[in-house]
Amino acid sequence: MCGRFVHKLPPEELATIVGAEGPVPNIPARYNAAPTQDLAVVRFNPKTGRRAIDLLRWGLVPSWEKDLKGGAKLINARSETLAERRSFAKAFQARRCLVPADGFYEWAPDRTPHFVRRLDGRPMLFAGLWEGWKDPQSEEWVRTFTIVTADAIERLRPIHHRMPVMLEPEQWPAWLGEDAASPAQLQALLTPPADLPVEAYPVSVRVNAVRNDDPTLMDRAAHQEPAMNAASSAASPGSATSRGTLF
């Protein structure tokens, strides 16, 4: 599950990292990014042959939905069923994207919020899907996205049994559609490596409220459970339930 994340990287720096060209939108720092907000997404435009950074609404809305409310529930897409589920199948084939983040929040079974970040300091680029939805009344197009999730690596399982899929630079061309890739090859990109360099630590319950959006949300809480960062920690996959998310 991924229901909140951090995006604080300056737009120009993000554009350099992902190799995006063209105008970069004004992207305010988000320390508690939440569903239904407009957030930065990296897409490849086959017509121009370039990558671009755009602001899309978090929560994928399939083209056949009558209103935007349905997208509030589709903030995540299970990697195992992308090609089968009607809501995601076409996007998986042709509308894949990257969602930049500096870390994400997850809630343990006891409802303690944790912040997950890379140990090497690099930003995370989540695998995502995007879709276009046309308002039947105004006839305006709304672009929305979802974040792809997979089984959590062992280090993170004490917190939650799912995690967003993070893609490395060498995987971006295939996922964005710049390089040809079969469904099987795309699916192979969605298994997180066991040695993924991440850590998780407890943070303040202030993150539970969307109205709180400041850098202190990432600060380590006074009391930390060492087991959360031990690679040898044991937990039963699937035993944890989603906590602290909006839905």
Side-chain angles (χ1 to χ4, degrees):
M1 185 71 180
C2 179
R4 307 281 183 81
F5 65 89
V6 173
H7 177 86
K8 61 184 180 66
L9 201 64
E12 295 75 16
E13 188 174 344
L14 172 61
T16 299
I17 290 174
V18 301
E21 301 181 51
V24 179
N26 180 28
I27 306 173
R30 296 278 192 179
Y31 297 94
N32 200 4
T36 73
Q37 294 177 348
D38 290 336
L39 302 166
V41 165
V42 181
R43 298 186 294 173
F44 174 70
N45 187 331
K47 294 183 179 179
T48 63
R50 298 177 177 178
R51 295 176 184 174
I53 299 173
D54 302 297
L55 291 176
L56 275 64
R57 189 178 191 268
W58 187 10
L60 188 141
V61 180
S63 59
W64 63 82
E65 287 285 357
K66 295 181 179 180
D67 53 49
L68 288 171
K69 295 180 181 178
K73 301 177 182 178
L74 299 181
I75 63 172
N76 292 159
R78 293 178 65 90
S79 61
E80 300 89 343
T81 57
L82 293 182
E84 305 166 10
R85 189 169 176 182
R86 183 187 177 209
S87 298
F88 306 128
K90 290 186 177 180
F92 179 51
Q93 292 174 2
R95 288 181 289 277
R96 301 181 298 275
C97 62
L98 298 172
V99 183
D102 294 275
F104 66 94
Y105 300 102
E106 193 52 85
W107 281 255
D110 65 358
R111 301 190 182 186
T112 300
H114 288 71
F115 184 59
V116 183
R117 66 181 180 183
R118 289 186 66 108
L119 290 167
D120 55 18
R122 292 167 48 199
M124 299 173 174
L125 274 298
F126 301 149
L129 306 176
W130 70 274
E131 190 58 88
W133 177 82
K134 189 175 183 179
D135 189 311
Q137 295 185 353
S138 67
E139 296 191 345
E140 293 184 358
W141 284 93
V142 179
R143 267 74 184 185
T144 62
F145 76 93
T146 187
I147 294 173
V148 179
T149 67
D151 285 338
I153 60 173
E154 184 177 0
R155 181 172 298 183
L156 300 181
R157 285 178 194 165
I159 303 172
H160 200 277
H161 65 288
R162 303 290 293 181
M163 64 177 286
V165 174
M166 303 172 208
L167 298 180
E168 298 299 324
E170 63 272 16
Q171 298 173 312
W172 299 348
W175 184 253
L176 289 174
E178 299 166 3
D179 292 348
S182 67
Q185 290 172 321
L186 291 172
Q187 199 69 50
L189 300 177
L190 303 178
T191 301
D195 59 350
L196 190 67
V198 295
E199 70 166 349
Y201 56 82
V203 294
S204 169
V205 294
R206 291 182 61 246
V207 74
N208 293 357
V210 176
R211 65 178 179 274
N212 296 324
D213 188 7
D214 60 78
T216 65
L217 295 178
M218 301 182 296
D219 291 347
R220 192 181 300 266
H223 301 289
Q224 180 179 6
E225 297 181 30
M228 290 301 179
N229 287 316
S232 60
S233 296
S236 174
S239 62
T241 56
S242 176
R243 304 289 185 181
T245 57
L246 294 182
F247 309 101

